[in-house]
Each structure stands twice: as structure tokens, then as C-alpha cells.
């Protein structure tokens, strides 16, 4: 794997928003010891976190991509902070969110395949008893296929960059 960190210019081959050193420093400052492992494992977690953010939020970010050929959703043009100042490059809160997602990506899939029945309904619970035979299946209300799992520490950091999340939008 080639680990290429977006430098704020809209690289066409970037696959990460933060460096391992950024995440190391971020978690060290907070006393988070779960951010551990080889450089390769940490870089892979950062790439998975980057993929997750672009997959989940990519079309919901305010502003427009800085250049048409960039590989990732950020950097953005016409992206303003709450005070109306233009944000350039990759915002600090955005980087912190990527670190938070990467921490979770070390130990679990951020976008796991949902548990569904053969009909595609999202399962809440399935119980089978072998003797005497008994089977019980319970679906989540409405049977929706998938809802994104919340990651509040990270999700909240991204909120100000999303459409409809407040802040200023320049016409």
C-alpha cells in the first residue's frame, strides 16, 4: 500500500487526510493508549477512516472540491467557517475527526455489512431452539437495510462542514 496524505492542494492520488504523526500526537495529548500498533496498521486505519468519511459524507460537504481531479472530498473551495472566514486546506477539526475514526478502524469495520435476513430486512434478533424446535425472528422497525453507526466523538467534529449544519455559505 502506498500511503499518500492530502497536502491541501487537491492531490489526484491521495488516500489519507492525516499523517500517522498527527494521529500519534492527537492521541498522546489525550492519553489514549488504544492507538497502538505498527506504522502499517495505523496507516491502514487512517486510509479506512478517510474512505469512511468520503463514503458517508462526501456529497454532503459544503463548498466544492478545490480541483476537479482530486482523489478525496477535501480540500474544498467556497468553504467558510462560522465567522465567515474561508477555510483553506484540511481543517484541524476535520483532521481530528479522521483520527477518531481511525482509532475505531484499528479494531472494527467502520462500515460493517448489516445483519439481514434472506429477504434483505435488517435483523434485530434471531432465536432458534433445536428441541423442541422453535424459531423467532425480530426485525428493526420498518426493516430498513442499514443505518450508519454513530461515532459521536468524530461525527460532531465534522458537523460544521456539512450542508444544513449552520455556518456561512457564500453564494
Amino acid at each position: 500500500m502506498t500511503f499518500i496524505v492530502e497536502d491541501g492542494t487537491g492531490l489526484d492520488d491521495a488516500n489519507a487526510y492525516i499523517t500517522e504523526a498527527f494521529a500519534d500526537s492527537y492521541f498522546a495529548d489525550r492519553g489514549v493508549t488504544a492507538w497502538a500498533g505498527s506504522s502499517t496498521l495505523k496507516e491502514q486505519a487512517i486510509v479506512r477512516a478517510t474512505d469512511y468519511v468520503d463514503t458517508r459524507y462526501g456529497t454532503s460537504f459544503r463548498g466544492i472540491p478545490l480541483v476537479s481531479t482530486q482523489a478525496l472530498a477535501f480540500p474544498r473551495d467556497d468553504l467558510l467557517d462560522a465567522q465567515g472566514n474561508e477555510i483553506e486546506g484540511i481543517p484541524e477539526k476535520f483532521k481530528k475527526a479522521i483520527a477518531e475514526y481511525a482509532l475505531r478502524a484499528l479494531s472494527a469495520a467502520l462500515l460493517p455489512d448489516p445483519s439481514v435476513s434472506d429477504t434483505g430486512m435488517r435483523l434485530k434478533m434471531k432465536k432458534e431452539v433445536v428441541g423442541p424446535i422453535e424459531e423467532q425472528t425480530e426485525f428493526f422497525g420498518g426493516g430498513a437495510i442499514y443505518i450508519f453507526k454513530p461515532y459521536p466523538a468524530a461525527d460532531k467534529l465534522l458537523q460544521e462542514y456539512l450542508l444544513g449544519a449552520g455556518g456561512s455559505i457564500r453564494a
Side-chain angles (χ1 to χ4, degrees):
M1 170 186 89
T2 303
F3 185 69
I4 303 169
V5 179
E6 173 56 58
D7 64 4
T9 63
L11 299 174
D12 63 1
D13 58 353
N15 60 0
Y17 283 118
I18 62 171
T19 63
E20 177 189 351
F22 178 92
D24 288 346
S25 176
Y26 176 80
F27 291 120
D29 289 349
R30 288 155 181 80
V32 176
T33 58
W35 180 249
S38 69
S39 286
T40 300
L41 288 176
K42 289 178 179 180
E43 288 176 355
Q44 290 170 342
I46 290 168
V47 169
R48 286 193 303 274
T50 298
D51 290 346
Y52 173 80
V53 167
D54 277 6
T55 298
R56 180 171 180 186
Y57 297 110
T59 59
S60 298
F61 289 125
R62 292 186 290 117
I64 57 172
L66 186 64
V67 294
S68 63
T69 58
Q70 69 190 53
L72 303 175
F74 267 76
R76 310 290 284 180
D77 198 15
D78 292 329
L79 179 63
L80 306 177
D81 65 17
Q83 291 76 38
N85 301 311
E86 187 157 6
I87 297 172
E88 295 182 8
I90 311 299
E92 192 71 10
K93 281 186 182 179
F94 190 91
K95 291 179 182 181
K96 290 176 180 180
I98 298 298
E100 290 287 348
Y101 289 121
L103 175 64
R104 286 139 183 90
L106 276 178
S107 60
L110 296 173
L111 280 173
D113 290 337
S115 296
V116 297
S117 71
D118 293 339
T119 63
M121 300 287 283
R122 193 166 68 110
L123 293 172
K124 180 176 183 181
M125 187 271 299
K126 183 171 183 175
K127 174 183 175 182
E128 295 181 39
V129 177
V130 176
I133 297 173
E134 180 181 321
E135 185 177 308
Q136 180 180 353
T137 304
E138 186 177 346
F139 298 99
F140 279 96
I145 297 271
Y146 192 69
I147 297 172
F148 284 105
K149 182 178 178 179
Y151 300 103
D155 296 345
K156 185 70 174 163
L157 289 166
L158 291 181
Q159 193 172 23
E160 73 179 86
Y161 310 115
L162 298 172
L163 293 168
S168 301
I169 300 175
R170 184 168 57 197

